[in-house]
Every structure is written in C-alpha cells, then in structure tokens.
Amino acid sequence: MTDAPIPRRPPRGDAWGMADTAVRVRGLRKRYGDVDAVNGVDLDIRRGEVFALLGPNGAGKSTTVEILEGHRQRTAGEVSVLGADPAKAGRSWRARIGIVPQTSHEDPQLTVREMVRHFAAYYPRPRDPDEVIEAVGLAELAGRRVGRMSGGQRRRVDVALGIVGRPELLFLDEPTTGFDPDARRRFWELIQGLAGDGTTILLTTHYLDEAEALADRVGVIAAGRVVAVDAPARLGGRATASARVSWRGPEGPQRIDTDSPTQVVAELSQRFGGEVPELTVTRPSLEDVYLSMIGATK
Ligand SMILES: Nc1ncnc2c1ncn2[C@@H]1O[C@H](COP(=O)(O)OP(=O)(O)OP(=O)(O)O)[C@@H](O)[C@H]1O
C-alpha cells in the first residue's frame, strides 16, 4: 500500500473521436407503478472510456445500469450496448460484459478460489483465476470460505467475479462501498490498470473522490434524468469558475472571489512584503458543483 498519488492515465482526446461507441442510450424510461424511476435518459459512452454515474439515492442510477446489463426491462427508449440491445442479446454478448452488482449472490460455502474458478468456466477467454485473486488483494484468503469473510473482503470477491471473464465492458455498481481506505486505493489502481488495457468501464459511486480519480467523464443523474455530463475537472464550469483567495490579515480572516487570482496574490505578496499568512487559492470542488446541481433539480 502506498500513499503516493495515483497517476491519471494520459488523456486520449484525439483517439476518442475515432473510437466506437460502447453504450448508446436515447430517451430511456423506466416506470415502476406510478414512479418514473428513469425519465428520459440519453447517454453515450465511448469504447475505452471510464464513465462515472453520480446521483443521490433513488436518482435512477442502478435502474439505468441494470437495463444496460440486460437485467431489467425498459418501459421505453433505445439502448445499444456493444452493438446489441440488452433486452434481446444472448450468451455471446453476455460473455463480453462484466458485472459487479450492488448486492452480490455468492455461495457462502465456496472458497474464494472455488468461486472465481467456477465463474471463469462460464467465459470463453477468462483471466487466470489466481491472478485475478491476487489483483483484488485476496491471495492470502484464496482458501477461505466466502461466508467467513468481512463485508469489504466479499466486495473484493464481487470485483474478482466481475473481471475474471476479461470483459470488454465492465459495470461497477457502487463497487467500493465498505472498503477500507487501503483497499479503495488498491481497487482504483486495479481499475486504472483495466482501463489502461482498453476495458470500457461504467461505474456508479457516491464517492466524488473516486469519480475524480477514475473517470474520464462523469454524468450526474437526478430524478431520473441526466443533468450534466463532462470531465470531472470541467463539470459545472469548474475549470473557469472564479477562484477564492483567502488569507489572514491584521483584521482577521479575509477572502475575495476573483477571476484573476494570480494578480490578487501578487498584490497581497507586495502588501505583506513576502509570505501572505494562511494563504489559500481554491476553485469549486467536484462536491461543490455536484451538490449545487443536485440542489437545483430538487
Ligand atoms: N423494483 C422496484 N420497484 C419499484 N420501485 C423501484 C424498484 N427499484 C427501484 N425503484 C425506485 O426507482 C427509483 C430509482 O431507484 P434506483 O435504485 O435506480 O436509484 P439509485 O440512483 O441507484 O439509488 P441508490 O444511490 O440509492 O442506489 C427509486 O425511487 C426507487 O425507489
């Protein structure tokens, strides 16, 4: 385990223009009784992209993802996943996707190794089960029964089962819930490695730092609709938003919102004759813009 910052993959902007679309959704709707859980979602995910779906509880993330996985029927709309309609696609399509669902269905009597081997047998080109177990950090627990593992350890088994088939497209529904910080960092490295190998990844998460670390783009979904899609650094105009310069002056804490923070800092530096006490320069965090988007749709 290392505390070093995790390197982001190099941007692949130019390559994207030519890349195929992995997921294309138009006008997706899902109605449960009189609840519009998904209410007109449009979404495009490029091959090789890591896309994070953010949104509050009940926003419609899992419903959307389960429709894309072919595990739920839609009420209306067009859906194409790896070129097929998930509602009609067969076994060969299913072998090309990997799923880490929100709730797992493991056999508590099987050991981790038995479970991963068992799943590997369903796929035409599986990864080596022991390598997968190692990759999710469970090598030392490979012989342990799944029923005797902690919640976070079981979640790692879920991840192992999702990737053992060498999927082209991996769905991760809140994958790191229950992970300790060390396990989360390791999981991020694993996902970055898969993405580096070209796996397309659709992830839902409530952890904004996770979206920021992993995603090429994030989509914010609220009340069954996508309200914004952009790179994490640009979402909601973050990159161009005013900066807040804060410092401590003789009269106490001071702050100013400005479009030219460099100039403000230069002036402060001159005024203080060097170091400016408690100087910080910040722009809105992903959490700031996310919360304002969610608030705006309530
Ligand atoms: N099987 C179901 N029957 C009836 N209503 C459902 C069903 N599944 C989900 N819903 C409703 O659909 C809406 C969207 O739920 P969904 O699970 O897709 O949200 P979510 O964004 O994944 O939430 P969370 O962050 O809590 O996982 C909610 O209002 C939920 O109560």
Side-chain angles (χ1 to χ4, degrees):
M1 165 56 185
T2 165
D3 285 336
I6 292 171
R8 292 185 67 87
R9 283 172 297 124
R12 295 163 298 167
D14 290 344
W16 282 3
M18 290 151 55
D20 295 332
T21 299
V23 174
R24 183 185 150 90
V25 175
R26 291 291 177 274
L28 179 64
R29 292 180 188 277
K30 176 67 183 182
R31 177 169 264 265
Y32 298 110
D34 55 2
V35 175
D36 286 313
V38 177
N39 196 11
V41 160
D42 296 336
L43 203 58
D44 287 289
I45 301 174
R46 301 171 182 111
R47 281 190 193 260
E49 186 173 27
V50 180
F51 192 97
L53 214 43
L54 307 177
N57 293 137
K61 302 180 298 297
S62 294
T63 302
T64 301
V65 168
E66 286 167 12
I67 290 168
L68 301 185
E69 294 166 349
H71 283 162
R72 230 173 250 275
Q73 294 295 320
R74 59 190 184 265
T75 305
E78 290 169 33
V79 180
S80 169
V81 175
L82 299 179
D85 180 343
K88 299 175 189 153
R91 274 186 74 155
S92 61
W93 175 84
R94 192 149 290 285
R96 296 166 62 203
I97 66 169
I99 297 176
V100 177
Q102 216 173 80
T103 43
S104 48
H105 315 281
E106 285 141 9
D107 184 336
Q109 297 303 322
L110 295 184
T111 66
V112 175
R113 188 177 289 115
E114 286 166 346
M115 194 82 203
V116 177
R117 282 186 180 164
H118 177 73
F119 263 68
Y122 286 114
Y123 295 95
R125 270 187 336 119
R127 291 193 164 91
D128 178 73
D130 288 325
E131 281 176 21
V132 170
I133 291 167
E134 167 81 33
V136 299
L138 289 177
E140 285 167 21
L141 299 177
R144 186 175 291 186
R145 285 185 209 278
V146 174
R148 298 211 180 134
M149 304 186 87
S150 76
Q153 289 165 345
R154 275 199 209 198
R155 202 71 190 120
R156 298 198 213 181
V157 178
D158 294 338
V159 174
L161 301 181
I163 66 175
V164 73
R166 206 184 293 275
E168 286 169 53
L169 170 62
L170 178 61
F171 293 99
L172 299 162
D173 203 353
E174 299 185 20
T176 59
T177 302
F179 277 26
D180 64 40
D182 177 25
R184 284 183 78 215
R185 283 294 173 123
R186 283 203 211 199
F187 170 79
W188 291 0
E189 286 168 0
L190 174 68
I191 295 308
Q192 284 164 329
L194 293 171
D197 290 343
T199 310
T200 308
I201 295 169
L202 174 55
L203 146 98
T204 73
T205 184
H206 287 295
Y207 300 117
L208 297 172
D209 58 343
E210 185 160 288
E212 198 148 30
L214 294 179
D216 296 305
R217 290 190 305 151
V218 299
V220 178
I221 187 163
R225 287 174 193 273
V226 176
V227 295
V229 176
D230 214 332
R234 288 200 298 269
L235 195 77
R238 274 179 80 198
T240 52
S242 288
R244 172 161 293 179
V245 181
S246 308
W247 71 97
R248 177 173 288 280
E251 55 291 293
Q254 305 290 311
R255 68 176 195 214
I256 186 171
D257 292 335
T258 173
D259 290 334
S260 44
T262 310
Q263 195 184 331
V264 170
V265 170
E267 284 166 11
L268 284 169
S269 171
Q270 225 172 15
R271 195 195 305 169
F272 283 90
E275 282 303 310
V276 181
E278 299 176 28
L279 175 70
T280 60
V281 180
T282 54
R283 292 193 194 268
S285 67
L286 183 58
E287 184 167 274
D288 292 334
V289 296
Y290 168 75
L291 289 175
S292 72
M293 279 175 182
I294 298 314
T297 60
K298 268 182 186 164

